[in-house]
Amino acid sequence: MVGFKATDVPPTATVKFLGAGTAACIADLITFPLDTAKVRLQIQGESQGPVRATASAQYRGVLGTILTMVRTEGPRSLYNGLVAGLQRQMSFASVRIGLYDSVKQFYTKGSEHASIGSRLLAGSTTGALAVAVAQPTDVVKVRFQAQARAGGGRRYQSTIDAYKTIAREEGFQGLWKGTSPNVARNAIVNCAELVTYDLIKDALLKANLMTGSCPPFSAWVPGTW
């Protein structure tokens, strides 16, 4: 902050881990209806032929999907699967973002000058590791989002019930369905997001654009000069 000297003690890995997960949960609370609308649009027409699915599409567009769900299933349907979503963010974002610096330091053996290759390797590692840890929560979240409230034919009654039902009916490996493509996707996404952020941050710091060059606050208060 301007007028304050930055601390010489960097945040610990635990602080980064918890901070990343908490921030992701807050973001998920705000954007969850959009994620639910995305899932409904993606699975629309899954059990129908392409021609029939196009002609009888229930959801049209993001806003149309949200309005249709509110009208037919109630506003709460937009947050169907939120508990699993928050569990996913707390485990997924904590690993892929919170552990990025620690993994980068591991690959650079503690050096302050990390190459682009080391950053890319750290980003892909934490992205893939995050999916391996959080995939069951992602599966349950999507199952809940795809499950319509209308009609009373709900397959899962609670988040815990969903984990148990999937493991019982589809085997323990059922909780890790789709892991391979998800690992590939998030390794790439993590590299694109975190490495780009990392490089831009370093460039700003080297250009001295992020330093507190203004006088301290007391210098602006009359009577303290």
Side-chain angles (χ1 to χ4, degrees):
M1 295 178 63
V2 175
F4 292 86
K5 184 178 180 181
T7 178
D8 294 329
V9 181
T12 63
T14 302
V15 171
K16 294 178 182 178
F17 186 89
L18 295 177
T22 302
C25 286
I26 294 173
D28 210 34
L29 284 170
I30 299 172
T31 62
F32 202 81
L34 296 175
D35 191 30
T36 301
K38 179 206 70 172
V39 171
R40 289 295 182 91
L41 286 169
Q42 286 177 322
I43 66 170
Q44 181 168 239
E46 181 183 8
S47 60
Q48 300 174 346
V51 176
R52 183 183 173 190
T54 303
S56 60
Q58 180 182 7
Y59 307 116
R60 297 183 183 277
V62 176
L63 182 59
T65 301
I66 291 175
L67 292 176
T68 298
M69 291 181 63
V70 171
R71 184 176 65 253
T72 60
E73 303 175 46
R76 291 182 59 186
S77 64
L78 297 174
Y79 285 90
N80 201 16
L82 178 63
V83 173
L86 295 179
Q87 292 173 348
R88 174 184 180 273
Q89 291 296 353
M90 201 64 205
S91 54
F92 178 73
S94 295
V95 173
R96 83 175 186 93
I97 299 176
L99 296 184
Y100 170 76
D101 283 335
S102 298
V103 174
K104 182 177 68 174
Q105 291 176 3
F106 171 78
Y107 283 130
T108 59
K109 295 179 172 58
S111 174
E112 295 182 359
H113 304 287
S115 64
I116 294 180
S118 297
R119 299 173 202 252
L120 290 172
L121 191 57
S124 59
T125 298
T126 56
L129 182 60
V131 171
V133 172
Q135 184 67 11
T137 63
D138 198 22
V139 170
V140 171
K141 176 187 75 74
V142 173
R143 294 284 183 95
F144 264 106
Q145 289 174 315
Q147 177 177 258
R149 286 180 178 271
R154 300 182 64 194
R155 183 180 181 188
Y156 309 115
Q157 303 304 317
S158 67
T159 303
I160 297 299
D161 177 61
Y163 287 117
K164 292 180 178 179
T165 301
I166 294 172
R168 182 177 64 252
E169 296 181 356
E170 305 172 41
F172 195 67
Q173 66 273 17
L175 292 169
W176 270 269
K177 283 185 175 179
T179 298
S180 296
N182 215 9
V183 164
R185 173 185 176 273
N186 281 286
I188 296 171
V189 168
N190 216 39
C191 285
E193 290 181 353
L194 295 187
V195 175
T196 300
Y197 163 80
D198 213 9
L199 292 172
I200 293 175
K201 180 186 70 175
D202 283 353
L204 292 174
L205 292 174
K206 288 178 181 178
N208 294 322
L209 296 177
M210 302 295 289
T211 57
S213 57
C214 293
F217 178 74
S218 60
W220 299 96
V221 180
T224 61
W225 301 340

